[in-house]
């Protein structure tokens, strides 16, 4: 069976519906959409979260695991100068994605995010002969992806 590596940028996908439509992302529906787009393939969906250590997220993380996601977690913190740190996953997602693509038996790479930081990951996947798919909200889409991705799903 073919395997799909799915990297989900939860922060990017959370802010657009919240800020633009006052809605929350339905992670169960997203998972169903991933499965629908890759019906006869095994999907390994890593979801990257940035959480507040002062707020309990155990139930949310358990829900994500029950749906089928593999959570990756960073906790934000404030430095002595009151600046927030650890607030972005993009670089780490690309690094981990490259390692997973190289070390595992994936035939396809899917990224759910409109962030242009993932163009390098798509280039790398393409060099290894993997098919690539971008899931994003149309308003977050950057035309820079058009030549780098096999399929774009809005």
């Amino acid at each position: 069976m073919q395997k799909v590596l799915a990297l989900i940028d939860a922060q990017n996908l959370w802010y657009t519906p919240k800020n633009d439509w006052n809605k929350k992302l339905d992670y169960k529906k997203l998972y169903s959409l991933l499965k629908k787009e890759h019906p006869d393939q095994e999907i390994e969906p890593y979801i990257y979260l940035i959480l507040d250590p002062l707020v309990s997220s155990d139930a949310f993380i358990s829900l994500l695991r029950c749906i089928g996601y593999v959570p990756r977690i960073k906790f934000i913190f404030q430095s002595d100068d009151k600046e927030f740190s650890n607030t972005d996953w993009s670089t780490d997602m690309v690094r981990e994605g490259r390692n997973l693509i190289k070390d595992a038996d994936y035939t396809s790479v899917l990224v759910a995010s409109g962030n242009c930081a993932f163009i390098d990951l798509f280039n790398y996947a393409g060099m290894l002969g993997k098919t690539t798919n971008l899931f994003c909200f149309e308003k977050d889409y950057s035309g820079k992806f058009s030549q780098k991705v096999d399929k774009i799903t809005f």
Side-chain angles (χ1 to χ4, degrees), residues 18-62:
K18 178 184 180 290
N19 293 341
D20 292 357
W21 307 299
N22 199 27
K23 303 273 184 186
K24 292 182 179 179
L25 181 68
D26 185 329
Y27 291 96
K28 193 170 188 175
K29 284 183 182 176
L30 176 62
Y31 187 78
S32 294
L33 182 61
L34 297 175
K35 296 291 279 181
K36 183 179 174 183
E37 288 287 319
H38 299 274
D40 297 322
Q41 298 173 325
E42 178 185 341
I43 296 180
E44 199 165 302
Y46 290 84
I47 188 162
Y48 295 84
L49 306 162
I50 297 173
L51 302 174
D52 184 337
L54 302 178
V55 177
S56 176
S57 302
D58 294 344
F60 178 60
I61 293 167
S62 292

Side-chain angles (χ1 to χ4, degrees), residues 2-10 13 25-48 64 67-70 93 108-113 122 132-136 151-154:
Q2 294 182 332
K3 286 175 62 176
V4 177
L5 171 62
L7 305 172
I8 293 96
D9 181 358
L13 296 178
L25 181 68
D26 185 329
Y27 291 96
K28 193 170 188 175
K29 284 183 182 176
L30 176 62
Y31 187 78
S32 294
L33 182 61
L34 297 175
K35 296 291 279 181
K36 183 179 174 183
E37 288 287 319
H38 299 274
D40 297 322
Q41 298 173 325
E42 178 185 341
I43 296 180
E44 199 165 302
Y46 290 84
I47 188 162
Y48 295 84
L64 291 172
I67 292 170
Y69 292 104
V70 179
M93 282 178 68
S108 185
V109 176
L110 180 150
V111 173
S113 176
F122 286 126
T132 54
N133 190 350
L134 172 68
F135 271 52
C136 67
K151 183 176 181 184
I152 300 168
T153 304
F154 295 113

